Amino acid sequence: MSSVLVPAIAAQITVTLRRQPVGGLGLSIKGGAEYKVPAVISKVFKGHAADQTGMLFTGDAVLQVNGINVENATHEEVVHLLRNAGDEVTISVEYLRKVPSFLKLPLGSPGPPSAHSSQASSPLFDSGLHLNGSSSHTAPSSPPSPIANEPKYEKRWLDAWSVPLSMARISRYRAGAETLRPDAFQVVALDGVSSGLLQFPSTQEHAGWLRAVSANISDLTLQTMEMTNKCCSPCEQVVHMGWVSERLEEADRSQTFRPTFLALKGPSLYVFCTPPVSILDWVRAEKTYNLCEVLFKVDKPQLPDACCSCANLGFRDPDFGDQGPHCFSVLVGRGGSHSFSVELGSELAEWEARFQRATFMEVQRTGSRTYVCSWRGRTLCLTVDFALGFTCSDSRTKNVLWRYKFSQLKGSSDDGKGRVRLLFQNLDTKEIETKELEFQDLTAVLHCVHSFMAAKVASVDAAFMDSQNVTRKFMHSS
């Protein structure tokens, strides 16, 4: 399946309102970040500006006002922006499939359309609901209710469109929040076309569709990788690629998330804002890192979530009940790092396994890496060699000062800056010999040592790679 059919209900739209002398914008707002809910339209006044567009409805979450993002804004901040935005106000809204309870919208039973039906559709509770103005269903007469004459709703499919799944991404994040929806997701195509929010009646059905759509995206991504590799040399093959969510920390220490496309290709990890669709696109990566000098780390506390335990998305460990995403970090040189997350436990396991494979392939392909270092004013070179181990030589004369096998390294420590102390065991005397060196980028050197030593062990122990896969240990636990 290369695409998914969805009901024609726009998940996110942008509308321009012209403020009227009487009635203003013609809408009311409830909610806000201080209540841990998005700001939503609580009422659209008939005949006024918002109602005249035919595109704004009660329950729509306000995302932007005149291009300013308000997903994390307080109620007062959103109201202030709307009141002071000028005569023409452009707002972007997202339809929330699960209507916030504080709106207290009517739950009238379905009924046939009447002559008084609205000409606009407002899907408030289920995909494809049609706003019905029938007055035959009213609220109980006692006590009187201010919403007794609100319209009722009936189910009706409006239309359908196709969302291409090739290089598409899945998102479960709530609008204006950092939490995941437990029973809904949306699919966003490479060209930006969105499925809208797809809500499911049960966690099991949600999990099934999430796995199915994810599997089809993965299969299509694999086909794209195979086509790309036909145009690349053997040392520049794509091992794995796909969408992740990257956690970013703002200046005020708040956290935001953005979709990021990662790729393991040849000697490098590529970080893209948008996927590469041609060979020429690979040069426009936002960042690239040498695989030998980075470290992949699974964030264990975030591994299994509620969806996994309830719907068997992969993890079965009963001690975890967190509803957060499946997270991992990539530690890079000079103490830097990136924090990513994926939707499924199987995706996390795949990233971990592919990262190990790509790194080990790069170690065996390059064979060795040399770093300039110093000790007591003397410029030296440390070579980490897949076959020989560690070799330290004079940078000017190239004379070898000392050499040890990987198996002789018994311990190490560093000062967190640039100096490292390596403890080797002399094969003849069995004594521990200490070597101290200083590097400009100690983190990259330590990651390289880890990569080479892990690759060395994996070359003689076929079970080593599986034993190091943290994610799969949880996936296969009962």
Side-chain angles (χ1 to χ4, degrees), residues 361-412:
M361 288 171 57
E362 176 57 18
V363 167
Q364 294 177 343
R365 185 164 48 235
T366 57
S368 67
R369 290 188 71 85
T370 299
Y371 297 91
V372 176
C373 55
S374 62
W375 180 242
R376 294 179 178 175
R378 187 177 182 182
T379 303
L380 308 174
C381 290
L382 177 69
T383 299
V384 185
D385 190 280
F386 184 71
L388 301 177
F390 301 94
T391 300
C392 185
S393 59
D394 187 284
S395 64
R396 184 175 60 84
T397 65
K398 308 303 180 185
N399 292 331
V400 175
L401 304 179
W402 49 262
R403 176 176 287 148
Y404 296 96
K405 297 178 181 179
F406 288 124
S407 59
Q408 291 178 264
L409 180 64
K410 299 304 177 182
S412 66

Side-chain angles (χ1 to χ4, degrees), residues 83-254:
R83 285 177 175 171
N84 298 276
D87 292 335
E88 278 200 356
V89 184
T90 300
I91 65 173
S92 296
V93 299
E94 180 181 30
Y95 159 63
L96 293 182
R97 171 61 183 79
K98 190 174 183 179
V99 177
S101 59
F102 61 81
L103 291 183
K104 298 181 179 180
L105 295 171
L107 292 171
S109 58
S114 72
H116 303 288
S117 295
S118 168
Q119 298 301 309
S121 61
S122 178
L124 296 178
F125 293 97
D126 198 0
S127 297
L129 296 184
H130 181 71
L131 190 58
N132 185 334
S134 173
S135 59
S136 61
H137 303 279
T138 59
S141 57
S142 178
S145 170
I147 59 172
N149 296 320
E150 289 285 343
K152 312 302 176 184
Y153 310 97
E154 67 175 354
K155 183 181 294 185
R156 193 185 85 184
W157 289 112
L158 298 179
D159 199 353
W161 69 70
S162 176
V163 178
L165 293 182
S166 179
M167 305 291 253
R169 61 181 176 87
I170 298 174
S171 176
R172 290 191 290 153
Y173 280 102
R174 298 181 186 273
E178 298 176 1
T179 57
L180 298 178
R181 299 179 176 93
D183 55 359
F185 64 86
Q186 66 175 331
V187 183
V188 182
L190 179 62
D191 59 1
V193 173
S194 172
S195 66
L197 192 59
L198 306 176
Q199 182 95 13
F200 299 91
S202 68
T203 304
Q204 288 76 15
E205 190 169 349
H206 165 260
W209 275 103
L210 184 61
R211 283 197 301 268
V213 175
S214 178
N216 277 274
I217 292 175
S218 297
D219 290 343
L220 292 169
T221 301
L222 183 60
Q223 294 177 22
T224 302
M225 286 170 48
E226 292 173 350
M227 294 177 60
T228 301
N229 286 338
K230 290 179 180 179
C231 304
C232 298
S233 63
C235 62
E236 290 288 339
Q237 296 287 292
V238 180
V239 176
H240 192 58
M241 63 184 186
W243 284 102
V244 298
S245 291
E246 182 173 10
R247 185 168 69 244
L248 305 174
E249 188 169 307
E250 303 295 338
D252 60 356
R253 303 190 70 81
S254 63

Side-chain angles (χ1 to χ4, degrees), residues 253-264:
R253 303 190 70 81
S254 63
Q255 292 183 347
T256 59
F257 296 83
R258 71 162 187 176
T260 300
F261 195 85
L262 300 183
L264 302 171

